[in-house]
């Protein structure tokens, strides 16, 4: 199985259009030891002919163009992309679907609640159904197993909740367990994709310990990162993200995973691990973690 | 006034993710004399400090990052972008708004019908209203004048109709004249921005003749371009686009505009004018037209 990181940043990307934090400012100036990153996006393939997208980021157009494996290879309209698996209805995870609307057949896997948010509450998604057979929706169980294009997908529910644009009344009509799912992909050696995780418990730790490679929520270094940088904002945990550092951060909570390749993905522009000369980057590397960059490819 | 072309292609961009037409194939191979282009997007400014976006393309994140004038210049969160003016509710014209959601105050001008489609029919747009004062909507008249950031905007209604995702029942509740507007911007020397035009009449010709620079719908070379390339698709006029060539195409219909700088924008990936060695490109240039590219800047 090939796993390709098309984008490694959190929502907004790195740099972010309206941000002048130390990371963004120095990256634009060319004085940061670190790389720009587009918004989190993976592609996986069993045979390197047919590719499955994990989520559909807003940067998908540029991400496809910078990845020759994903270019059309035959006939006038074609794509090696066969399917899209959505882990939530967050804008960073779904907007790219609206970029794939040019009449090409795609299989889209999402929980029933995520599909309902997109297709019932957002008329724009009707653009995906202008012609028969354009997009076909498939139910993704919040917790279960299924095979897509020769790869086994195991899903598990994360308690992070629905995106901010889903109001309380609407959320009451949906299944909370279907708001956010984590994915474990593969048959022999497996890869875990958990771009947002509000919580770490024994069950999740057990699941990750069965994987060869773990791509995990690296959004924020500290719980109060945005509060400190912006002088007022939400804490990481309130936003559904386990911070990397601290007593109950992911470095400590996942320290027992010593046999896995551990990689932070969905990294926010304010996170000091984007600066490869920072103490935080050094600490992350010492703890056995990598930081994903656009273009990274893993063979399992 | 400065006019900056951030993107010059029609929806899908050039190349388009699933297209292997002669243009897209040769561009990817490096054998086309022509340039890649992101989806149509303009920025205008009276003082080069504060910028107004004309539409909000899906490629806006990358377009801003490739334009230093649009980078944040002061404080931790900032943007020289003050306002966005929407000419329709087409996905290519509005999706970028959802990329500008990181809590920065923006003034958005749209007709009441366009605003209703976005905010009443698409719950995702609630992300623009999470905090007080984040986005402020202003009514754009389908036909009228207003001043935005020191620049006079004149609007006129185009009969192209609402986007494909707006169903018949919904369209009945909206004002058809508010579906698509053209823009004329400036006080002394004016620029016209007409990225989609289904129709050319004496009134529009008169308006354009009062402008210094005309950025006009260059989507398709011929009315049956997509039908021929794809072997079955809609005609240009059915899609709300006047073709460039032919008896009633824009080259002939705008031939009387001899004092204007005339530039095609919103160019589809299949259009032969993207190939600078094509007969169609030569004919376009001989007729006094230019073909917009990303990064073009005009001073009026």
């Amino acid at each position: 199985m090939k796993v390709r990181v098309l984008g490694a940043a959190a929502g907004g990307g790195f740099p972010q259009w309206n941000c002048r934090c130390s990371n963004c400012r120095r990256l634009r100036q060319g004085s940061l030891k670190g790389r720009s990153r587009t918004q989190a996006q993976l592609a996986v393939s069993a045979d390197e002919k047919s590719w499955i997208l994990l989520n559909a980021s807003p940067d998908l157009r540029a991400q496809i163009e910078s990845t020759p494996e994903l270019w059309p290879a035959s006939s006038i309209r074609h794509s090696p992309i066969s399917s899209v698996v959505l882990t939530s209805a967050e804008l960073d995870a779904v907007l790219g679907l609206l970029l794939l609307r040019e009449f090409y057949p795609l299989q889209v896997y999402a929980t029933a609640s995520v599909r309902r948010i997109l297709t019932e509450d957002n008329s724009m998604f009707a653009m995906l159904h202008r012609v028969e057979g354009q997009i076909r929706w498939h139910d993704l169980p919040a917790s279960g197993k299924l095979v897509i294009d020769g790869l086994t997908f195991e899903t598990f529910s994360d308690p992070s909740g629905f995106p901010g644009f889903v109001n309380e009344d609407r959320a009451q009509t949906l299944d909370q367990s279907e708001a956010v799912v984590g994915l474990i992909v593969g048959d022999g050696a497996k890869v875990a994709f958990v771009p947002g995780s509000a919580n770490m418990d024994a069950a999740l730790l057990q699941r990750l310990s069965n994987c060869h490679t773990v791509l995990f929520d690296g959004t924020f270094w500290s719980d109060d990162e945005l509060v400190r940088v912006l002088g007022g904002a939400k804490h990481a945990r309130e936003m559904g993200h386990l911070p990397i550092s601290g007593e109950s951060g992911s470095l400590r909570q996942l320290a027992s995973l010593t046999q896995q390749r551990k990689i932070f993905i969905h990294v926010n522009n304010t996170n000091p691990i984007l600066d490869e000369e920072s103490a935080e980057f050094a600490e992350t590397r010492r703890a056995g973690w990598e930081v994903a960059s656009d273009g990274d490819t893993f063979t399992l």
Side-chain angles (χ1 to χ4, degrees), chain A:
Chain A
M1 173 173 54
K2 284 276 180 192
V3 178
R4 182 101 169 171
V5 177
L6 304 184
F14 178 51
Q16 179 179 301
W17 73 286
N18 66 343
C19 189
R20 211 169 145 268
C21 72
S22 167
N23 280 345
C24 288
R25 192 182 68 244
R26 289 183 297 148
L27 183 72
R28 291 193 182 102
Q29 282 171 348
S31 63
L32 181 84
K33 193 176 174 209
R35 277 174 279 186
S36 67
R37 285 165 171 90
T38 58
Q39 294 169 91
Q41 177 69 48
L42 287 193
V44 298
S45 178
D47 60 8
E48 293 181 62
K49 288 193 188 99
S50 170
W51 289 82
I52 303 166
L53 300 181
L54 308 192
N55 286 335
S57 103
D59 292 323
L60 200 45
R61 196 185 96 75
Q63 290 168 335
I64 291 172
E65 284 315 317
S66 62
T67 311
E69 295 91 324
L70 300 181
W71 294 355
S74 62
S75 75
I76 285 288
R77 287 288 161 99
H78 171 259
S79 173
I81 300 167
S82 64
S83 315
V84 183
V85 180
L86 303 178
T87 64
S88 75
E90 294 287 348
L91 294 186
D92 325 335
V94 305
L95 273 187
L97 264 190
L98 295 174
L99 308 179
L100 304 181
R101 67 185 186 278
E102 282 94 3
F103 304 117
Y104 192 74
L106 280 178
Q107 312 301 313
V108 181
Y109 295 80
T111 66
S113 295
V114 166
R115 189 191 67 236
R116 290 183 61 197
I117 292 168
L118 303 185
T119 62
E120 295 175 11
D121 304 351
N122 289 280
S123 67
M124 290 178 171
F125 282 78
M127 287 307 269
L128 301 176
H129 301 106
R130 282 176 299 169
V131 297
E132 182 89 354
Q134 191 180 348
I135 286 256
R136 206 160 142 202
W137 291 92
H138 301 269
D139 274 348
L140 189 70
S143 179
K145 270 193 187 177
L146 73 167
V147 175
I148 303 173
D149 260 344
L151 286 174
T152 301
F153 278 70
E154 185 190 334
T155 61
F156 55 91
S157 178
D158 182 275
S160 308
F162 290 106
F165 66 83
V166 178
N167 68 36
E168 280 291 317
D169 289 348
R170 178 48 160 159
Q172 296 293 330
T173 69
L174 302 167
D175 181 344
Q176 179 78 18
S177 76
E178 294 182 344
V180 181
V181 298
L183 299 174
I184 291 174
V185 187
D187 294 280
K190 293 171 187 165
V191 61
F193 180 50
V194 188
S197 184
N199 198 38
M200 178 56 59
D201 57 21
L204 178 51
L205 202 58
Q206 178 60 40
R207 281 179 216 280
L208 299 181
S209 72
N210 291 326
C211 294
H212 175 276
T213 299
V214 172
L215 286 152
F216 194 78
D217 182 348
T219 314
F220 298 113
W221 175 257
S222 53
D223 192 48
D224 64 350
E225 180 171 317
L226 275 192
V227 178
R228 280 185 299 113
V229 172
L230 301 183
K234 283 193 177 176
H235 284 74
R237 284 191 177 79
E238 287 179 83
M239 298 171 76
H241 297 292
L242 191 67
I244 294 173
S245 68
E247 284 300 320
S248 57
S250 47
L251 285 188
R252 296 229 179 141
Q253 293 219 52
L254 296 176
S256 64
L257 300 182
T258 55
Q259 305 303 308
Q260 284 67 29
R261 188 166 179 183
K262 296 185 286 189
I263 305 160
F264 284 121
I265 194 165
H266 196 269
V267 184
N268 198 57
N269 60 305
T270 52
N271 191 327
I273 66 172
L274 292 171
D275 175 358
E276 295 174 16
E277 293 174 324
S278 70
E280 293 85 350
F281 179 76
E283 186 179 341
T284 301
R285 298 291 286 130
R286 271 199 310 274
W289 285 79
E290 299 167 61
V291 182
S293 286
D294 294 14
D296 286 352
T297 307
F298 312 112
T299 306
L300 277 81

